[in-house]
Amino acid sequence: METSAHGITAPSAVYEIAGRRFEIGTRGFAEAIADSHAAHQRPRCMCLVEGIEMYVARLGDGYIVKRMPDTGSHHAPDCPSYEPPAESSGLGQVLGSAITEDPTTGETTLKLDFSMSKISGRTAMPTAGGHSDSVASSGTKLSLRGLLHYLWDQAELTRWQPGFAGRRTWSTVRKHLLQAAENKIARGDSLRMCLYIPEAFSVPGGHPNSPTHGHLKFPHPDCASMRC
């Protein structure tokens, strides 16, 4: 779960930053998290009386407040930063191995079991135990589909938000997926720079943000892909 000054997520979270409390999007919030990042301070999510430590990372030209690794289940169930224990969501198999988050840098390193490019004349070897696009993972590396499902979850497209009502167009989905790819590193490179997600387009007589987009059906994790 990531909450920022750009209004990506529900504005109900309250953070304590340098002794002051802010709701997302309120006056002074953007400046407070920028100062917190510069001073290497840890905001606290106040969903519980004692507060839960968070951290601030860069996101494009701004900043984003993120929960510390493996702390989603420590938040109150109604907190935007709450996440079920990794063991019950399937993330427990890959966190710390295929997915490693570093609060110091704000970057998440992903280990992949597939190539991010295709070389002419070379055929990729299938992974043991099944196809490489399977959602299953060995626990040490992410399959292609596993990566897409991870990004879908990071973009919070697995959760319903009131702001999505009548506005969950492909343009919105694409924007959230690209934001989710920020600060993700794969094979030493920025995942955001390697990720290809088709832009919204229109067909004669259609609307550019129609759920069908011509031949593209309603947004699904398998719509995104890596560049070849």
Side-chain angles (χ1 to χ4, degrees), residues 158-224:
T158 54
R159 305 183 186 187
W160 176 252
Q161 300 181 41
F164 279 157
R167 289 186 246 174
R168 187 164 156 154
T169 63
W170 179 249
S171 293
T172 299
V173 169
R174 182 176 186 273
K175 173 186 175 182
H176 281 245
L177 286 172
L178 291 175
Q179 288 175 333
E182 291 279 355
N183 301 321
K184 304 294 190 297
I185 305 298
R187 300 190 184 278
D189 292 320
S190 166
L191 179 65
R192 171 67 179 79
M193 299 303 295
C194 300
L195 195 65
Y196 172 70
I197 304 176
E199 295 184 14
F201 67 94
S202 60
V203 295
H207 188 278
N209 285 323
S210 168
T212 57
H213 301 296
H215 296 295
L216 286 179
K217 301 302 182 183
F218 186 79
H220 184 276
D222 293 345
C223 290

